[in-house]
Amino acid sequence: MTTPRFDTLLLTGAAGALGTELRRALAPLTRTLRLNDREEIADLTDGEEAAICDLADEKAAMAMCEGVDAIVHFGGAPLEKPWDEVLNSSIRGSYHIYEGARRHGVKRVVYASSVHAIGFHAIESHIDATAPHRPDSLYGLSKCFVEDLSRLYWDKYGIESAMLRIFSSYPEPRDRRMLWSWLSFDDMTALVIAALTAPHVGHTIAFGSSDNPMKAFDNRLAGHLGWQPGDSSAPFREGIEARTDTPNPADKAVQNYGGWFCNLGHPDDEAN
Amino acid sequence: MTTPRFDTLLLTGAAGALGTELRRALAPLTRTLRLNDREEIADLTDGEEAAICDLADEKAAMAMCEGVDAIVHFGGAPLEKPWDEVLNSSIRGSYHIYEGARRHGVKRVVYASSVHAIGFHAIESHIDATAPHRPDSLYGLSKCFVEDLSRLYWDKYGIESAMLRIFSSYPEPRDRRMLWSWLSFDDMTALVIAALTAPHVGHTIAFGSSDNPMKAFDNRLAGHLGWQPGDSSAPFREGIEARTDTPNPADKAVQNYGGWFCNLGHPDDEAN
Amino acid sequence: MTTPRFDTLLLTGAAGALGTELRRALAPLTRTLRLNDREEIADLTDGEEAAICDLADEKAAMAMCEGVDAIVHFGGAPLEKPWDEVLNSSIRGSYHIYEGARRHGVKRVVYASSVHAIGFHAIESHIDATAPHRPDSLYGLSKCFVEDLSRLYWDKYGIESAMLRIFSSYPEPRDRRMLWSWLSFDDMTALVIAALTAPHVGHTIAFGSSDNPMKAFDNRLAGHLGWQPGDSSAPFREGIEARTDTPNPADKAVQNYGGWFCNLGHPDDEAN
Amino acid sequence: MTTPRFDTLLLTGAAGALGTELRRALAPLTRTLRLNDREEIADLTDGEEAAICDLADEKAAMAMCEGVDAIVHFGGAPLEKPWDEVLNSSIRGSYHIYEGARRHGVKRVVYASSVHAIGFHAIESHIDATAPHRPDSLYGLSKCFVEDLSRLYWDKYGIESAMLRIFSSYPEPRDRRMLWSWLSFDDMTALVIAALTAPHVGHTIAFGSSDNPMKAFDNRLAGHLGWQPGDSSAPFREGIEARTDTPNPADKAVQNYGGWFCNLGHPDDEAN
Amino acid sequence: MTTPRFDTLLLTGAAGALGTELRRALAPLTRTLRLNDREEIADLTDGEEAAICDLADEKAAMAMCEGVDAIVHFGGAPLEKPWDEVLNSSIRGSYHIYEGARRHGVKRVVYASSVHAIGFHAIESHIDATAPHRPDSLYGLSKCFVEDLSRLYWDKYGIESAMLRIFSSYPEPRDRRMLWSWLSFDDMTALVIAALTAPHVGHTIAFGSSDNPMKAFDNRLAGHLGWQPGDSSAPFREGIEARTDTPNPADKAVQNYGGWFCNLGHPDDEAN
Amino acid sequence: MTTPRFDTLLLTGAAGALGTELRRALAPLTRTLRLNDREEIADLTDGEEAAICDLADEKAAMAMCEGVDAIVHFGGAPLEKPWDEVLNSSIRGSYHIYEGARRHGVKRVVYASSVHAIGFHAIESHIDATAPHRPDSLYGLSKCFVEDLSRLYWDKYGIESAMLRIFSSYPEPRDRRMLWSWLSFDDMTALVIAALTAPHVGHTIAFGSSDNPMKAFDNRLAGHLGWQPGDSSAPFREGIEARTDTPNPADKAVQNYGGWFCNLGHPDDEAN
């Protein structure tokens, strides 16, 4: 694309691992890429501008949505955290983003949801996007909340949203579960771009894993995004199997989408 | 039942309209009925004890779950409210109840969810309990949150929960929507008792309306609760139709479960 | 109801067997009951007015929709007929009724569709209203056409329609098929009234048989009409079984909803 | 019915508890009731004749199907048994019955299948008759076999069959599971008669429990049998709850249809 | 294929844009290609013969089906037209074709149905071929009629039919909707050939769009046709986006399959 | 894979056509490949050991499961056979294999099930693995039995099983049905290996046909096996069509998955 499609995009969670990938990938799409995180971002390039604040800061979070065409919302607590952190950064923070979008007329939000929103469903059920929520953690619960929040903002306020249920986005697959759950960085960024640019999104829930040989879900309900993953865990399989033990078929972490999250204890217990 | 089935039941929202009905109805089931609300409860009877606190008060809310066999959780913001109130009383408050239940070994929770958790589904779709959430308000969104929270606490911690999606629980039906959505007080209390005493609940979502001639949903997935509503809106129909206008078929409030909630503006706009 | 709900209702097919029942049943609902048929109606009562024309007569058919609140459309070729008759009286005629309704602002149409629109589905499949059309005759095909026509007029023009798939509406059940397919006249008229007066109809397809012990379909998707049949084929069973042979399980007429229509030859062959 | 509907009915398992009930109930339907069991039946009445043999005896089992209009097949190993017994009496025995039916032109078979054919499905899933088999025992496995066998004999040879998945048929409900699973003797015999006399059966799978307040499955796919249970576990509930402990929600026997069968060890281990 | 598979194929609508493509593509499959249109076809080649008539001409239309192995029925009113034209050329005309096929023993018909038969379904629902009809126009209504007509002729008379729901068949995609709806001419002709030559068709409904990156429906129920589209809208995307405005997510034409047909007024209004 | 993944694999049916292919394909995966068949296997290679016995021999069949990591169970009666042979070699024999697995701690079984377990389903229904059994033969019935048996051994004893419903595994496709049902030997062996090595199998039913242009079923529920067929019937199509007649669309063998098995008579009739 020669002319950028957007004037201003807002990217939250810009300092995270996926955010860093997205900075690179989104640059060609927009004149200005506004980067949000809690911490200072040192290496701003041309076309980037910083919007440093905690998403839990209502005024700041809403203010940075002004003048924005679309939001790529990847901020919030990464992985399982104590309740207070989940509540503030993910639940309250995401509410601020959606309210900011509503008040400032933002048209579309692309959100980093997660497999952990449906982590207690069995892999053998091969669910699609209509399956009920079954979070496996407070982390997953906060993703469920944002999925429902965004549904309200579409049904009532007409803000389009794509909920990308990121499975396991890492430089390469690390364990046998990632044989089906791995999402390469290139496929992840392509998915975000597809969701940003599709002619019609409405409210879409998409599952995000690469074109791995093992398929664990039914993604047809996101077909209108026009995303086709291009990477595969296949080249990594032999190495992974050499390094890791045979899974125990009776283990919840093996049977369910959420993997080891299903066996995690409560974060507030661990925090004590 | 001659001997009470429970030693101690906790009822939140005890001072509300439905809570007041439940005090009367639950008395025979338990030796002690612990009553929670934010405001003092003046007229305690034998077998009742007060536990006055804001559900947003983490320590107090968790403490009152100690020694409790089961919780009937009807507390939280009634109807649509500004975000801060929804967040504190319904989202944070309900988290405190579930964490209190987990820490103190409570076995079962019965929760007043709402039709507004699925208010943007069309009546013609006759959904069942597997339909995805489509909240019609912040109120409905908080109900979605508790449904997902309770699912986590069942899947991970083995606490049984019944989510009762109360439709329109009033002394009598008031408008044409209530011809199908009305839930009499007697049917409401019978539903709570069924959920408290069923041999197996696991995680159950039940729709709550009386045996009205007009049926708007499919409640078979709650059949194991053993609840059969006994009242009907039929005797009220002629009066309602005489007092109210013919509905406009193009109105979202007519087409969708949520009724006039679908047309409500954002509560934070109104609050300003 | 003391005051009639409608000013003017139009009833097509008013001289037919079902139309005659409906004249009696609809009278209390409306100040004026406009009666359409091809032949003169001799015995007009107070509150009735005649609108005699062939439905295939575009101008006349449309004109009689003027000033009408709602239409009960039971006109058209009864049972299987040669194509020309089906085309003119049922397909063209029904188009004229819907166009008349659109041009004159009629809000709701209640139509006598038929089991023969889905007559080639197997009874064992216990279909609901979302099952695809499988007509068993030109008669059934014309019913499919009107169901689709009415869907268009709801989706595009906001005219509500109830498609009542009448099974076997006779004074009493006549054969073993009618043990499950019989619709008493009282249940038939109650169904029409339910469809005329329900607070929300949108586009609804309802199956019409009485509360016979044998159930052959799933009618939950019409639950919002508020109709509950009250009659049953049970008292007629012994007599029917004494008079009729044991059915052949390999017969299409026994296996499928459409009964003997499934074995009918082409009407244009027979017409020659 | 004044004239018996059948000339000769064959009842297998005639000496069992359910068979004894059926002897009484089927008598008015048939001129001759042929009674099969392995042991002598002492108290033959008018209209009864004995056909004593082991169902595993191919020649004898097939021979007794001669001249029979319909078969009520309740024979075979009751409850869980070692493999050899299950194989011989239930699998081989039932094959002999179906082959006997085919060779002698019997038109319809009514079979005592069991909840244990689907015992490992969760109660919360509220399955219908299309759910895949999930036997909970060798006993349940043999029921699955006969259900599949009968499907073949319908699809290929046109012999109608009703598979009645008997839940818990006892004089009265004994434990909390039977609050939803109990099938009274009167409802059981009425179900058999409905299946014998329905105008169309084809291949039908019906769930058999009484009209208990707690509903655990979806029986609409057997609606064409015309059976409505009339008894209820409700009057027994208080007594059962007084005598039995609160169920453990984590117990497979509580979560699944099969109850305590889900926790049974392998019968061949116990047999040693 | 060296030897033509068919002796005589009949192609209706042979002078239209798609018909012209089909003349070229079907030539190798048949010794004689009989071409029907209302207007003279000037450039007949070897192996082609003309059968010029209006499909509304019953005798002529039926007569041209004589001696035909299979029919490719692409005739009828293209796009939205006044009712009289839709009725005569599409509804009556198609009836004549099916009756001609029945009377002359034609084995299979391949029909140009359309996305407009289901144009009011939402793209996000990703329907398959079992979704109920929701026409968006009189044009779409006539397609529904022929789909139902062909179902009758398969169920009752054993004539196989493939209903090809052509999405947007043009030389290249023209607007953002065609990013998912475009069907290249090569893919269109390949689909017709697949439907003509598949070993089993029965009654099949297939959705017709190319292998565009954006997928809008579920075509698995036509998998037995053996058709795999080979073209894609991808190379045209950048150009289309440069030339066209961002879609309005609240527009029915954006949300639903039918596109701008959903916003079309009634053709008889425009005709006046 | 450089190091064999398994110490000992047991292959039953090792002398059959598919067994012979599997000997070659499985060799690299295991240190020892134990080969079972009824007849002597002459050409044992390094790493192979023979375990010759009839599967109906309980002691011998169970004994050979000792020390085995996983079983590839391809033994049993091939194609339709008289009941005694089906009973002994397939039903009893498979029970011995599963009991041997349970007693000796074998973790996973891969079984050669068949399309004939669901042979009476219509191709147009495009079933997935949840479709009920509809066997087309005693052969298919025995496959249903083993599918149910393996489900019990997973649900109760935690033995993982993959049921591979082999369609038509031959060196090349032979008739028009095989245009969609053909499974090349390479795809067959790859499917077995995928099932043996997938990180999670639980209880999986997979349909086995190559990547033929014509698709007849929905295999998504086996997606976690990670199998993608690579061969196609396409190159054989022209030759097959030249050698074989046009199918009769009214033939059960054309309409249903089972093909000519649907028209086979009873094997015990033929045996006489």
Side-chain angles (χ1 to χ4, degrees), chain A residues 1-2 5 107 151 154 158 160 194 197-204 220-228, chain E residues 123-126 176-177 179-180 211-218 220 237-238 241 247 249-250 254-256:
Chain A
M1 259 163 276
T2 46
R5 173 187 291 258
K107 296 289 202 302
R151 182 83 227 186
W154 165 242
E160 292 193 301
T197 63
H200 176 59
V201 165
H203 187 269
T204 299
R220 76 188 190 289
L221 293 172
H224 50 285
L225 297 186
W227 173 65
Q228 274 116 359
Chain E
I123 293 167
E124 287 173 60
S125 57
H126 288 266
R176 297 194 189 201
R177 177 171 169 266
L179 292 176
W180 56 262
D211 186 26
N212 304 316
M214 287 152 208
K215 312 291 185 203
F217 52 82
D218 178 348
R220 76 188 191 289
R237 183 173 183 183
E238 190 174 337
E241 290 179 342
V254 171
Q255 295 184 345
N256 295 320

Side-chain angles (χ1 to χ4, degrees), chain C residues 137-246:
Chain C
S137 52
L138 297 184
Y139 174 73
L141 179 63
S142 73
K143 300 298 185 183
C144 296
F145 173 82
V146 183
E147 290 192 356
D148 292 337
L149 172 73
S150 62
R151 182 83 228 184
L152 172 64
Y153 275 71
W154 165 242
D155 280 334
K156 199 160 217 167
Y157 306 116
I159 298 173
E160 293 193 300
S161 279
M163 303 285 104
L164 311 182
R165 288 182 180 162
I166 308 278
F167 276 44
S168 306
S169 199
Y170 291 96
E172 55 180 70
R174 298 175 171 180
D175 57 29
R176 296 195 190 201
R177 176 170 170 265
M178 290 198 197
L179 292 177
W180 56 262
S181 70
W182 183 56
L183 176 67
S184 74
F185 284 160
D186 283 353
D187 284 337
M188 183 272 294
T189 55
L191 175 54
V192 170
I193 291 171
L196 273 175
T197 63
H200 176 59
V201 164
H203 187 270
T204 299
I205 294 173
F207 294 88
S209 75
S210 284
D211 186 27
N212 304 317
M214 287 152 207
K215 313 292 186 200
F217 52 82
D218 178 349
N219 216 4
R220 75 187 192 288
L221 293 172
H224 51 285
L225 297 186
W227 173 66
Q228 274 115 0
D231 291 319
S232 168
S233 65
F236 304 93
R237 184 174 182 183
E238 190 174 336
I240 287 170
E241 290 179 342
R243 287 193 307 271
T244 57
D245 289 336
T246 303

